[in-house]
Amino acid sequence: MRKLLKASWWVVALSVALAFVGGPAMAGPVTPPLTHLSSGTRHSLAVAEDRSLWAWGLNNAGQLGLGTATSEAFLPTRVPGMSDVIAVAAGGNHSLVLRANRTVWAWGDNAHGQLGDGTRTRRLSPVQVPGLMRVVAIAASSSHSLALLDNGAIWSWGDNGSGQLGDGTRISRLSPVKVYGLTKMKALAAGNQHSLGRRLDGTVWAWGENGVGQLGDGSATSHEMPVQVAGLTNVTTLAAGQDHSLALRTDGTVWAWGWNAYGQVGDGTQTPRLSPVQVAGLTSVTALAAGEDHSLVLRSDGTVWAWGDNEWGQLGDGTLSQRLTPVQVSGLADGMELSAGSLYSLALRTDGSLWGWGGSGSGELGLGLTLWRTSPVPVVGLTDVVSLAGGYLSSVALRSDGTVWVWGFDGLGPASTPAAFSAVPTQVTGLQDIMSLGTGSTHTLALGADGSVWAWGRNSQGQLGDGTTTNRSSPVQVLGLSDVVALDGGGNFSVALRSDGTVWAWGDNWCGQLGDGTTVSRSSPVQVLGLTDVVAVAAADYHALALRSDGTVWGWGYNYSGQLGDDSISFRPTPARIESLTEVMALSADGLHSLALRLDGTVQTWGDIHGEYLSGGPSVIQYFPTPVPGLTNVVTLVAGGHHALVLRSDGTVWGWGLNNNGQLGDGTRFERPAPVRSTGLLGTALLAAGKYHSLALRTSGSVSGWGSNYMGEVGDGTAQIITRPVRVP
């Protein structure tokens, strides 16, 4: 019957997997380096170095803790509100965490009281398990939970139909109860309907279901109170599968007992074992993990070995062949921690990277796919990036496969709403074959390979160009635009350059920033008057610039701070040439200032880079282009809200202006009126800047970020100011 049930699941999952065959591999965002793992039936949990919590996989009962129970998470996703996490335990359809203050929190399915909150109410977000303090370890099974206290006692709650709570009854418990007669306990593990504990003296005790010998006492009789596992001493570590158990001894050998139909005991047979037997050929083992019907160990040399059921490739040896004795998991070295789910396996390496193999019908491998893997593959971060853009409180990246990834505040709802921002990159659905990006204050633009333009975000002024003023959480096509070769987003407006050299704009127009000779806002594109032979465009809060093929620069829109560079403060509803600028090769504009890169590698700037935020006195406005002193050999440049960055030919990055959020990347928060070097950015290929944060695309295809991070716009998974560049995971 058990094999028949698994076969039924295999058919269902295969039909899901086949729907994805031929689709692109979605290498997705991942946490900062990880420190701890736990796998449930079809979902996984991980703790990052910063003690944040991450979850992925099946979410039908809210077991991911994301506030919903509507869909899977195919990529690791940060669990909101969970900080200072030091241990995790994933059960069947529920989750537990142990926090630094030694309290336990739970969420997900609660039909049997496995959340321990005194109810049977499902919880979509973490709730504290009341009455538990000074906890040092936790474990979770299909429908019951365990906690070890610092005084050596074990407490349990949830389903008790087989006596797995160890309180001498078979009555399920909605709140924690003490396991009978156990003292001086040092470790625990939870199987499907049985539980294990290790005492200080190295003996192992077990309780609950024992129909196939999973308690290891030499019988097949279930026990409502703990019994000693026969013949085991000097044990250091325990693991429990669905109906089998594992123990690691101080001499590095592994012992197993219980259900063995798939060889999960590892003794070369398929005979159930009622008492422990040594797993064949294993020495120098340092860690254990047990899945539904397979087993894993980590050896001191960093290699991983597996045995048992392999129908979904959960043994990671490149085959689907069942193994009755251990085989080495292929291509995996430097292992640090293991975790096994129902039909899949995970390994955490010493470098903090996560690797997975086996079944992934609900995204439990965290790879963005539902296809299974017969050998380990990395749960990769944001790589192969070819372009970047920074918005007011958000960031966007374009990967070489044409997909678009965003992080930070989405601008559509209150910033206090967890769903309003993402602290790590998330893929924008519905976009493919994208060539370049642009951002406004709260909207984002994408240029397709076919010359079409797509937009999403806030649309109060028509800045999305779809003929409406309706906010959009997903991309919509800009009306009537084709053959576009470049674009940019201003405060609440957008500009696009077509292949014929004409410029088009839409959105807010209160100061003539659309360049059509009026101050009427437009919800669909209109042509900027009088401009031809344009090769580049740039848009800021309320003004725009265009570079023509002859090296001249033209500007229009707001000009109170001299950002049009014509030595006046009059706004212009149509483009006018900036007379003193020639031989320009690149432009950038944001906030109240503008930048130009000349053919000789020098930089010109004009407008007000500090605005009203300059703390040392009144703003210093430059009404016409002025050279930035000391800068030569510049190859690219970018303007932030009140700061600027340049990349020189020697690979160094320099910045100046406002630095209250560390947006210059020099490790300080001091304003810089002249360029200072940003730290740790050798090997930079491209720069991008938001209002108060900055981004760098490295030559390796990875992304670094720094500066303001209150809405996760740096993308490192935190919400704190970053004054030196950190890698976006």
Side-chain angles (χ1 to χ4, degrees):
M1 173 59 74
R2 295 177 46 158
K3 191 66 177 181
L4 178 60
L5 289 174
K6 288 179 68 177
S8 299
W9 153 243
W10 186 89
V11 171
V12 173
L14 178 61
S15 64
V16 176
L18 288 175
F20 284 82
V21 173
M26 294 188 295
V30 76
T31 69
L34 303 176
T35 59
H36 298 293
L37 291 173
S38 183
S39 301
T41 301
R42 290 171 62 191
H43 77 289
S44 301
L45 304 172
V47 182
E49 279 185 343
D50 63 358
R51 291 186 175 178
S52 59
L53 179 65
W54 298 74
W56 61 96
L58 188 66
N59 194 37
N60 62 320
Q63 58 263 52
L64 300 188
L66 305 178
T68 70
T70 56
S71 62
E72 296 91 347
F74 295 110
L75 301 167
T77 304
R78 187 171 183 173
V79 178
M82 275 287 101
S83 59
D84 293 324
V85 176
I86 59 174
V88 287
N93 290 315
H94 76 291
S95 303
L96 303 177
V97 300
L98 175 61
R99 302 181 74 176
N101 62 2
R102 302 299 174 179
T103 60
V104 178
W105 297 68
W107 62 95
D109 185 25
N110 199 24
H112 300 278
Q114 57 263 52
L115 302 188
D117 66 344
T119 76
R120 295 180 186 269
T121 303
R122 182 179 66 175
R123 304 292 185 179
L124 304 183
S125 299
V127 294
Q128 186 174 349
V129 179
L132 279 182
M133 303 295 291
R134 308 193 326 274
V135 176
V136 295
I138 53 177
S141 81
S142 58
S143 53
H144 77 286
S145 305
L146 304 172
L148 172 63
L149 273 61
D150 61 3
N151 63 3
I154 295 177
W155 291 69
S156 59
W157 60 97
D159 185 24
N160 198 25
S162 298
Q164 59 263 48
L165 298 189
D167 67 342
T169 76
R170 294 201 176 194
I171 301 171
S172 296
R173 304 292 185 176
L174 306 185
S175 300
V177 294
K178 191 174 182 179
V179 176
Y180 181 83
L182 289 182
T183 59
K184 299 181 179 180
M185 304 306 291
K186 286 296 183 180
L188 42 70
N192 182 36
Q193 293 181 318
H194 74 289
S195 305
L196 304 173
R198 176 183 67 84
R199 292 188 68 185
L200 179 63
D201 61 5
T203 60
V204 178
W205 297 74
W207 57 99
E209 175 62 40
N210 196 30
V212 289
Q214 55 265 56
L215 299 190
D217 68 338
S219 77
T221 303
S222 299
H223 294 278
E224 294 87 14
M225 293 186 291
V227 294
Q228 187 171 352
V229 176
L232 267 187
T233 58
N234 299 319
V235 171
T236 63
T237 306
L238 300 170
Q242 178 164 284
D243 293 312
H244 74 288
S245 305
L246 303 174
L248 172 62
R249 298 183 64 186
T250 54
D251 61 2
T253 61
V254 178
W255 297 70
W257 60 98
W259 182 247
N260 196 28
Y262 306 103
Q264 58 264 50
V265 168
D267 66 343
T269 77
Q270 292 178 274
T271 303
R273 298 296 183 179
L274 305 185
S275 56
V277 294
Q278 187 173 353
V279 177
L282 281 181
T283 59
S284 303
V285 173
T286 60
L288 305 169
E292 179 178 317
D293 290 311
H294 73 289
S295 306
L296 304 171
V297 298
L298 172 66
R299 297 184 64 185
S300 59
D301 61 2
T303 60
V304 178
W305 296 70
W307 62 97
D309 188 27
N310 198 27
E311 187 176 7
W312 283 85
Q314 55 263 54
L315 301 188
D317 66 343
T319 77
L320 296 176
S321 301
Q322 181 176 278
R323 305 293 184 176
L324 307 184
T325 55
V327 293
Q328 186 173 351
V329 176
S330 60
L332 194 61
D334 300 321
M336 181 175 69
E337 186 173 333
L338 301 173
S339 185
S342 177
L343 305 173
Y344 68 104
S345 306
L346 299 172
L348 181 60
R349 295 180 59 181
T350 55
D351 62 2
S353 62
L354 177 63
W355 295 66
W357 60 98
S360 191
S362 297
E364 46 264 59
L365 293 186
L367 301 172
L369 290 171
T370 59
L371 291 175
W372 68 85
R373 300 291 189 180
T374 61
S375 299
V377 290
V379 182
V380 297
L382 191 65
T383 58
D384 300 323
V385 175
V386 295
S387 185
L388 289 171
Y392 180 57
L393 294 172
S394 65
S395 305
V396 58
L398 172 64
R399 295 186 62 206
S400 60
D401 61 4
T403 58
V404 176
W405 298 74
V406 295
W407 59 99
F409 180 46
D410 68 6
L412 297 180
S416 59
T417 305
F421 68 93
S422 171
V424 292
T426 303
Q427 186 176 355
V428 178
T429 58
L431 284 180
Q432 58 185 0
D433 296 328
I434 299 303
M435 300 295 291
S436 65
L437 305 167
T439 53
S441 290
T442 53
H443 72 289
T444 306
L445 305 169
L447 173 60
D450 60 358
S452 61
V453 178
W454 299 77
W456 65 97
R458 191 171 292 278
N459 196 26
S460 58
Q461 302 296 318
Q463 57 264 49
L464 302 188
D466 67 341
T468 78
T469 54
T470 302
N471 296 341
R472 306 289 187 178
S473 59
S474 300
V476 292
Q477 188 169 355
V478 176
L479 297 177
L481 268 188
S482 60
D483 299 321
V484 173
V485 295
L487 44 71
D488 199 9
N492 289 314
F493 73 105
S494 308
V495 295
L497 171 63
R498 296 185 64 187
S499 59
D500 61 3
T502 60
V503 179
W504 298 70
W506 58 98
D508 187 22
N509 196 28
W510 74 272
C511 56
Q513 58 264 52
L514 299 189
D516 67 342
T518 77
T519 55
V520 178
S521 297
R522 309 286 187 175
S523 60
S524 58
V526 293
Q527 187 172 351
V528 177
L529 298 179
L531 278 183
T532 58
D533 298 321
V534 174
V535 295
V537 291
D541 280 1
Y542 305 111
H543 75 286
L545 304 173
L547 172 63
R548 296 184 64 185
S549 60
D550 60 3
T552 61
V553 178
W554 299 65
W556 61 99
Y558 192 61
N559 195 30
Y560 182 78
S561 297
Q563 54 265 60
L564 297 187
D566 64 354
D567 200 17
S568 78
I569 57 172
S570 301
F571 76 80
R572 296 189 178 277
T574 57
R577 180 180 170 181
I578 301 176
E579 295 294 340
S580 61
L581 272 182
T582 58
E583 298 183 337
V584 173
M585 58 182 291
L587 296 171
S588 186
D590 201 359
L592 303 175
H593 67 113
S594 307
L595 300 172
L597 173 61
R598 299 188 66 197
L599 290 172
D600 61 3
T602 61
V603 176
Q604 302 266 329
T605 183
W606 61 100
D608 182 3
I609 196 171
H610 295 92
E612 67 273 25
Y613 298 96
L614 182 63
S615 61
S619 299
V620 178
I621 296 176
Q622 295 171 341
Y623 292 103
F624 49 85
T626 304
V628 178
L631 275 185
T632 58
N633 300 317
V634 174
V635 295
T636 190
L637 77 180
V638 64
H642 300 285
H643 70 291
L645 302 171
V646 300
L647 172 65
R648 297 181 64 185
S649 59
D650 62 1
T652 59
V653 176
W654 297 71
W656 65 95
L658 193 68
N659 196 29
N660 60 329
N661 286 286
Q663 54 263 54
L664 299 186
D666 67 341
T668 78
R669 296 172 66 178
F670 300 122
E671 295 158 356
R672 303 293 188 175
V676 293
R677 182 174 172 180
S678 303
T679 61
L681 286 174
L682 279 175
T684 295
L686 183 69
L687 298 170
K691 189 66 69 176
Y692 304 112
H693 74 289
S694 306
L695 303 167
L697 170 60
R698 314 303 291 275
T699 53
S700 64
S702 64
V703 176
S704 294
W706 61 99
S708 173
N709 198 25
Y710 298 109
M711 290 291 107
E713 53 265 44
V714 168
D716 70 331
T718 73
Q720 59 187 10
I721 288 175
I722 307 292
T723 61
R724 298 179 186 271
V726 295
R727 179 168 176 172
V728 177

